[in-house]
Amino acid sequence: MDLRRRPASATKPNVAPTAKASDALPLPLYITNTVFFTLFFSVAYFLLTRWREKIRTSTPLHVLSLSELVAIISFLASFVYLLGFFGIDFVQSFILRPSDDEDEEHLIINDDPRNLSSPTVVDRQLPQFTQSKNPLLTEEDEEIIQSVVVGAMPSYSLESRLGDCKRAASIRKEAVQRITGKSLSGLPLEGFDYESILGQCCEMPIGYVQIPVGVVGPLLLDGREYTVPMATTEGCLVASTNRGCKAINLSGGATSVLLRDGMTRAPVVRFATAKRASELKFFLEDPDNFETFSLVFNRSSRFARLQSIKCAISGKNLYLRFSCSTGDAMGMNMVSKGVQNVLDFLQTDFPDMDVIGISGNFCSDKKPAAVNWIEGRGKSVVCEAIISGEVVRKVLKTSVEALLELNMLKNLVGSAMAGALGGFNAHASNIVTAIYIATGQDPAQNVESSHCITMMEAVNGGKDLHVSVTMPSIEVGTVGGGTQLASQSACLNLLGVKGASKEAPGSNARLLASIVAGSVLAGELSLMSALAAGQLVQSHMKYNRSSNQVCSVAS
C-alpha cells in the first residue's frame, strides 16, 4: 500500500525529505550496532579505570582531562543509542521527534515515481520497500497499523478489539509488511471466512495458502465407489494414484477391515520411590478396578469410552497409556479430558503422585514410535486387492514377478537395512498427507498415520497379484478442527463422510480411515509398477518439470 504524508492544509509548504535515523548511518546496521556496543563497554571500562586512579591518588573527580571529557560524551551517546536500539519508546520519540513543521505530516510516497519534484517523507520506523496503494484501508486502519508497528497494540488482540476478523487479518498483513520490509502481495486475503477459524484453527492470520486439489477414482472399495480428493503440489502424485485406482477397479475392487479404533494419551507421573510408582501400576492394571476408571473417564464426553490402560515404568516415573474410542472426532482433546478426570480421581488414593505432564510421549503423537507401530493409535486398517495378471501387464505396464522382487528388495529388505520404523512401503505418506490436507485433518499426524507395510504375493498359480497395506495408526476425524472449514467440509462431503454420523456414531471417521488405506493401496500399486517398469523418471519429467515459470503465470 502506498503511504502518504499529506500536509495539514493545502497551503502548507512542502517539507524537505526526511530519512530514517538508520538511513543516516554510513555503515550497515549490524556493523553500527557492533561499533556502539564496543564503544559503550570500552569507554565505561576506561572511565572506571581513570576514576579509580583518581581516588587512589586523591585527585578531584570533577577535574577532567580532554580524553575523559570525550569519553563521557561517547559514553552518553552510545548509551542513548543502545536505549533506542532496544526499543525504549520515550528515547525513540525524543530522538526521532519531527520538527514543529512536521508534527501534522502523514506518511507519503509519490503516486508517480517519475514526479521527482514532489517531496517524499518516509516514516523513520518503517523498513524501506515499495508498497502499492491499498484503497481499502481507512484513516482509522492506518492509525491501528502504526500502533501495531511500534508495538503499542499487540497483533494478537486485533480480532477482539475490532470485532471484525477479516479487517483484523488485513491490518495485520499490512503491519507485517511494514515491520519486515517484505512484500506479501502474493498471499491472498479475499475469499476466506476468517470467522470460521477464530479460536479453532489458526491464530493471527494474514491470509491463506492456496493448495490445488485433485481427485482420483473412482476407487472401488468394499463394493462402493469413492472419488477421493487430494491436496498436493507434487506432480505425478494424483495421476499415479488414479492409475492405481483404475487397476483396482478393473480387478474387482479392494476390501478393507478395521482392526482397532482407539485414540491414546499417556501422561507421566512421578513418585518419591520406584516401589510407590509400581503400586500405582498394579492398581491401574488390576481388572477389578477398570470399571471404576471407565466411569470416571467416560463422563468427560458422550462419545469417549475407555478401552484400556497400559503402564510403563522407568525408575520412579510411571507412564500411563490410556486408549479410548472417540466417535467421529479424531479425539485428542476428548481423551485428554478423560485422562485428566482419572488423574484427579487418583490423587485421593495417591496424594504423593506428582503429575509431570498430561503427555509423556508414550502416546505417541506426531512422532515415529514403535508403540504406535505395534499397539496402534487411532484407526488400524488392513486393505487388500487381487490384481489380475492382465491388468498388471496392460494398465501397470509391468509383470507380477517384477513387482514381487521389487517389493521384497525395496519395501522389506531395503527398509530393514535403513532401520525403518513403520516405513515398509513406497510412499504411503504422500497419499496420507494429501488426503489429510484436503479433508481438514492434522497434517502433522501423517508421521504415525503413514506407518504402513506393503505386502505382495503371487496367487492363482502365479498369474495374479495379491497386494495389501496394513496401517496400524490412521488418525482421522470428520468433526472438529479443520473439518469445519468450507473447503475441507466440501471434500468430506464428496466422500460421503461429512460431520458426525447420527445412526452409528464413529462410522464416518472409520470409513474415512478405510478410504485412506484404500487410496494408499492404489498409490503403492502404481508407484511400485512405475519403478519396476523404469517409468519413474519419465513420468516426473512429464508431470513435475513444467517449463512454465510461476512468476510469468502470476504476472
Side-chain angles (χ1 to χ4, degrees):
M1 157 174 195
D2 286 351
L3 305 171
R4 311 196 117 217
R5 277 193 183 264
R6 299 196 178 278
S9 66
T11 61
K12 187 167 183 178
N14 291 336
V15 292
T18 304
K20 294 184 294 186
S22 60
D23 295 338
L25 299 175
L27 299 173
L29 185 58
Y30 74 94
I31 297 180
T32 306
N33 290 340
T34 302
V35 170
F36 274 98
F37 269 100
T38 305
L39 180 64
F40 176 80
F41 291 108
S42 300
V43 170
Y45 177 78
F46 172 75
L47 290 175
L48 289 174
T49 304
R50 291 292 298 158
W51 289 342
R52 191 172 107 184
E53 180 66 21
K54 285 184 178 185
I55 293 173
R56 190 175 64 84
T57 59
S58 300
T59 303
L61 295 178
H62 65 274
V63 177
L64 301 175
S65 64
L66 179 61
S67 61
E68 291 171 341
L69 184 61
V70 172
I72 291 175
I73 295 173
S74 301
F75 177 81
L76 292 176
S78 59
F79 180 73
V80 172
Y81 174 85
L82 292 177
L83 280 179
F85 174 75
F86 284 110
I88 306 301
D89 290 339
F90 78 92
V91 175
Q92 287 184 337
S93 63
F94 175 78
I95 296 175
L96 303 179
R97 180 183 300 154
S99 64
D100 292 339
D101 290 338
E102 295 178 5
D103 282 343
E104 297 180 2
E105 294 294 324
H106 301 284
L107 185 63
I108 68 170
I109 291 179
N110 295 329
D111 284 331
D112 188 353
R114 295 168 297 182
N115 185 4
L116 302 180
S117 61
S118 300
T120 301
V121 182
V122 181
D123 190 331
R124 301 173 182 84
Q125 295 182 356
L126 301 182
Q128 289 182 321
F129 74 108
T130 304
Q131 303 183 62
S132 59
K133 186 175 182 180
N134 188 345
L136 300 179
L137 293 178
T138 64
E139 291 183 7
E140 183 182 1
D141 291 341
E142 280 290 345
E143 294 177 2
I144 297 174
I145 291 170
Q146 289 298 327
S147 297
V148 174
V149 169
V150 301
M153 180 184 295
S155 176
Y156 61 78
S157 68
L158 288 174
E159 280 80 4
S160 60
R161 294 197 182 194
L162 300 178
D164 185 335
C165 293
K166 181 181 178 183
R167 182 185 174 200
S170 177
I171 289 174
R172 183 181 294 111
K173 180 180 179 180
E174 184 66 27
V176 168
Q177 290 186 110
R178 299 188 190 184
I179 292 171
T180 63
K182 308 294 184 183
S183 173
L184 292 171
S185 60
L187 184 67
L189 185 70
E190 300 294 328
F192 189 83
D193 182 10
Y194 294 95
E195 301 283 347
S196 65
I197 64 173
L198 183 63
Q200 177 171 295
C201 294
C202 179
E203 299 75 43
M204 297 192 290
I206 60 172
Y208 59 96
V209 174
Q210 298 166 310
I211 300 179
V213 178
V215 292
V216 301
L219 170 66
L220 183 55
L221 178 66
D222 298 324
R224 294 177 57 188
E225 291 187 344
Y226 301 94
T227 299
V228 184
M230 297 174 62
T232 182
T233 57
E234 180 181 350
C236 284
L237 180 59
V238 173
S240 177
T241 308
N242 193 60
R243 183 176 73 151
C245 290
K246 180 181 179 181
I248 292 173
N249 285 9
L250 292 176
S251 299
T255 303
S256 67
V257 179
L258 185 82
L259 305 174
R260 189 187 299 110
D261 181 8
M263 181 51 64
T264 64
R265 175 58 87 197
V268 53
V269 300
R270 181 172 59 194
F271 290 88
T273 64
K275 180 181 179 181
R276 187 63 171 154
S278 301
E279 291 176 1
L280 178 57
K281 171 180 166 64
F282 297 142
F283 182 69
L284 288 170
E285 293 180 344
D286 187 343
D288 294 336
N289 297 329
F290 183 78
E291 184 177 354
T292 301
F293 296 140
S294 295
L295 292 174
V296 175
F297 185 99
N298 295 347
R299 69 186 182 204
S300 64
S301 168
R302 291 181 300 150
F303 302 103
R305 294 295 178 266
L306 183 65
Q307 296 173 338
S308 65
I309 306 175
K310 294 187 178 181
C311 301
I313 193 168
S314 175
K316 57 183 182 178
N317 305 303
L318 186 64
Y319 298 81
L320 325 173
R321 194 172 193 259
F322 292 78
S323 178
C324 79
S325 59
T326 57
D328 283 305
M330 185 268 289
M332 287 295 297
N333 293 333
M334 194 181 298
V335 66
S336 295
K337 288 190 291 184
V339 168
Q340 188 63 58
N341 288 344
V342 175
L343 291 176
D344 294 341
F345 174 79
L346 290 173
Q347 291 282 181
T348 303
D349 293 319
F350 294 86
D352 54 335
M353 178 181 69
D354 184 12
V355 179
I356 303 301
I358 191 69
S359 174
N361 275 9
F362 187 47
C363 313
S364 173
D365 186 43
K366 302 174 184 175
K367 291 165 283 291
V371 68
N372 292 335
W373 177 238
I374 298 170
E375 298 288 344
R377 188 171 194 255
K379 277 71 174 170
S380 300
V381 182
V382 60
C383 187
E384 64 180 346
I386 296 178
I387 310 300
S388 69
E390 183 179 5
V391 170
V392 171
R393 290 189 300 273
K394 293 184 177 180
V395 177
L396 302 178
K397 311 298 183 184
T398 185
S399 65
V400 173
E401 294 79 7
L403 284 172
L404 295 179
E405 183 179 32
L406 178 63
N407 188 68
M408 180 187 66
L409 295 179
K410 171 184 168 63
N411 288 342
L412 304 182
V413 178
S415 296
M417 293 293 290
L421 181 60
F424 299 91
N425 58 82
H427 71 149
S429 63
N430 254 338
I431 292 89
V432 170
T433 305
I435 298 177
Y436 272 27
I437 295 174
T439 58
Q441 311 304 312
D442 188 340
Q445 289 185 320
N446 84 86
V447 176
E448 62 267 39
S449 296
S450 298
H451 282 344
C452 171
I453 183 168
T454 301
M455 300 293 292
M456 293 185 181
E457 181 181 347
V459 293
N460 299 329
K463 297 184 299 180
D464 302 327
L465 174 72
H466 180 276
V467 56
S468 68
V469 292
T470 305
M471 305 179 70
S473 49
I474 301 177
E475 298 164 348
V476 292
T478 58
V479 297
T483 65
Q484 308 302 310
L485 302 180
S487 301
Q488 290 82 342
S489 181
C491 290
L492 288 170
N493 189 55
L494 177 64
L495 293 171
V497 295
K498 177 182 175 181
S501 172
K502 297 180 180 180
E503 295 77 17
S507 61
N508 280 352
R510 290 191 289 269
L511 177 55
L512 179 58
S514 295
I515 293 173
V516 170
S519 302
V520 169
L521 180 69
E524 289 288 282
L525 189 59
S526 183
L527 177 58
M528 291 294 289
S529 299
L531 290 170
Q535 300 168 337
L536 181 67
V537 175
Q538 295 93 322
S539 299
H540 275 277
M541 290 300 293
K542 179 179 180 181
Y543 292 103
N544 205 26
R545 298 286 293 180
S546 174
S547 60
N548 295 329
Q549 296 298 319
V550 173
C551 58
S552 62
V553 172
S555 63

